[in-house]
Amino acid sequence: MNQRIKCFLIIASLALAIACKEKTNEFFIQTVEGSLSVDTSSLWLSHEHLLVDFIGADSIRADDWDDKEVIHTMLPYLEELKAYDVSFFVDPTPNYLGRAPELLKEFSQQSGIHIITNTGLYGAVNNKYLPEYVYELEAKDLAEMWEDEYSDGIGGTGIKPGFIKISVDNSDPLEDMDAKLVEAAAITHLKTGLTIASHTGAAKALWPQLEILAQNKVSPKAFIWVHGQAESDFEQFLRAAQTGCWISLDGLGWELEKHLEQLVYAKKNGFLGQVLISHDAGWFDPQKEQQDIVGYTRIFEELIPRLKSEGFTTQDIDMLLKVNPAKAFGIRARELE
Ligand SMILES: [Zn+2]
């Protein structure tokens, strides 16, 4: 073969190899402003709230709050994140707890930070946040409603959810209603590729959820164990990591030392690549006279210096805040092999 052609072929195949490698680091994300492809170099906060209204599904109304007042109160906290290069802000406030897609879009436009909202329903606290119609529907009917939100947008806004947020009371076996929500999430995942983030708490309620996923041929890789920091038996983290699920240690707005211990354990046991961290902080509460906001910066101001003194490298920290969230929230069906 002509030397020049040979050389060209080598360069072309190298370029192709690099392109393929890059492709595996590109993830498709749905924000409140549209879909985009992200690599693993953007910084994420994977569980934070701008607004939560705890009044209950039977009483919640969109005019419980004034959008302008919420923006005036919360925008400075979002603006603070620019100093830390935060690009993605995942807001898991569920429907019937103050999920407000248009308000989130406004926050996104004013701050320049990409915000991600959700579909799904919150079953914890004995169904306080579930509307009546949920009792009448089967899992597949709920899944159909959530799939519609993803294909057509939420309630006529055209704004699409970027993941499925559910929640369960911490029991094993699960309450029937909670099991139905998990099954609906599994069905929705297979149709849409949206990741399932489930407010779970201690590991006890994780196992029955993974079982329902398995019955529906959904891989644990599509599942985020939310509020994992509530677990005190660290071996449960190792067991969970072995299934392939994501472990979200997301109470950093409220507690630091236990999270730090859990992160050190994750690094030591080689599953840092499956851990997400966030503050679960915020938020504007329409039921409060005086707002009492917890900001979203403790990770940057306190946790990262502490992690460094525990021997965490820049690469480890990037894994937690950049690589893992892109992989966890990247939209693609993850079927059980
Ligand atoms: Zn939360």
Side-chain angles (χ1 to χ4, degrees), residues 106-153:
E106 190 63 34
F107 272 117
S108 176
Q109 284 170 345
Q110 291 206 29
S111 67
I113 293 174
H114 297 296
I115 299 178
I116 299 177
T117 188
N118 64 89
T119 188
L121 286 166
Y122 190 94
V125 199
N126 294 317
N127 308 334
K128 181 179 176 188
Y129 303 103
L130 294 178
E132 281 298 316
Y133 69 75
V134 179
Y135 293 88
E136 313 298 323
L137 298 179
E138 290 179 39
K140 63 174 177 38
D141 306 318
L142 288 172
E144 207 172 298
M145 293 175 70
W146 302 348
E147 287 156 34
D148 285 350
E149 288 200 330
Y150 183 57
S151 55
D152 306 337

Side-chain angles (χ1 to χ4, degrees), residues 60-308:
I60 196 163
R61 297 154 51 108
D63 60 7
D64 277 353
W65 61 86
D66 170 13
D67 281 5
K68 283 203 180 79
E69 192 189 349
V70 180
I71 289 172
H72 177 77
T73 308
M74 296 309 298
L75 192 60
Y77 294 95
L78 209 48
E79 296 278 355
E80 263 187 314
L81 299 180
K82 287 192 210 163
Y84 301 103
D85 280 333
V86 175
S87 299
F88 290 92
F89 182 102
V90 180
D91 188 323
T93 296
N95 197 4
Y96 302 100
L97 268 148
R99 181 186 63 163
E102 282 172 315
L103 179 63
L104 294 183
K105 190 171 174 179
E106 190 63 34
F107 272 117
S108 176
Q109 284 170 345
Q110 291 206 29
S111 67
I113 293 174
H114 297 296
I115 299 178
I116 299 177
T117 188
N118 64 89
T119 188
L121 286 166
Y122 190 94
V125 199
N126 294 317
N127 308 334
K128 181 179 176 188
Y129 303 103
L130 294 178
E132 281 298 316
Y133 69 75
V134 179
Y135 293 88
E136 313 298 323
L137 298 179
E138 290 179 39
K140 63 174 177 38
D141 306 318
L142 288 172
E144 207 172 298
M145 293 175 70
W146 302 348
E147 287 156 34
D148 285 350
E149 288 200 330
Y150 183 57
S151 55
D152 306 337
I154 298 167
T157 61
I159 298 169
K160 296 179 179 184
F163 67 109
I164 303 157
K165 169 72 187 292
I166 54 168
S167 102
V168 299
D169 279 313
N170 200 264
S171 67
D172 183 11
L174 295 172
E175 303 286 334
D176 289 349
M177 175 59 85
D178 291 345
K180 181 160 85 174
L181 297 180
V182 180
E183 190 188 344
I187 300 168
T188 309
H189 170 76
L190 291 176
K191 291 265 174 64
T192 60
L194 293 176
T195 300
I196 304 163
S198 178
H199 164 117
T200 297
K204 183 165 70 173
L206 170 68
W207 312 118
Q209 293 186 83
L210 293 183
E211 232 173 85
I212 295 170
L213 257 55
Q215 286 158 9
N216 288 277
K217 304 271 185 289
V218 174
S219 165
K221 289 178 184 169
F223 186 88
I224 303 173
W225 168 18
V226 174
H227 307 324
Q229 72 275 6
E231 179 56 57
S232 47
D233 172 7
F234 284 17
E235 275 179 32
Q236 300 290 312
F237 294 120
L238 193 53
R239 239 186 99 196
Q242 282 160 355
T243 71
C245 77
W246 296 96
I247 301 166
S248 180
L249 307 175
D250 48 42
L252 281 155
W254 313 93
E255 198 280 335
L256 184 75
E257 299 305 325
K258 202 168 133 196
H259 285 73
L260 189 64
E261 247 180 85
Q262 290 163 342
L263 286 164
V264 168
Y265 179 84
K267 180 171 161 67
K268 199 169 136 206
N269 287 279
F271 62 88
L272 212 53
Q274 284 168 259
V275 175
L276 300 168
I277 55 172
S278 214
H279 303 93
D280 193 16
W283 50 74
F284 188 96
D285 181 342
Q287 304 309 323
K288 277 187 185 163
E289 286 286 324
Q290 283 290 328
Q291 296 302 318
D292 179 18
I293 314 295
V294 177
Y296 315 111
T297 57
R298 195 184 209 172
I299 287 178
F300 312 107
E301 288 166 359
E302 292 181 55
L303 180 71
I304 291 177
R306 294 286 300 277
L307 288 175
K308 284 184 177 162

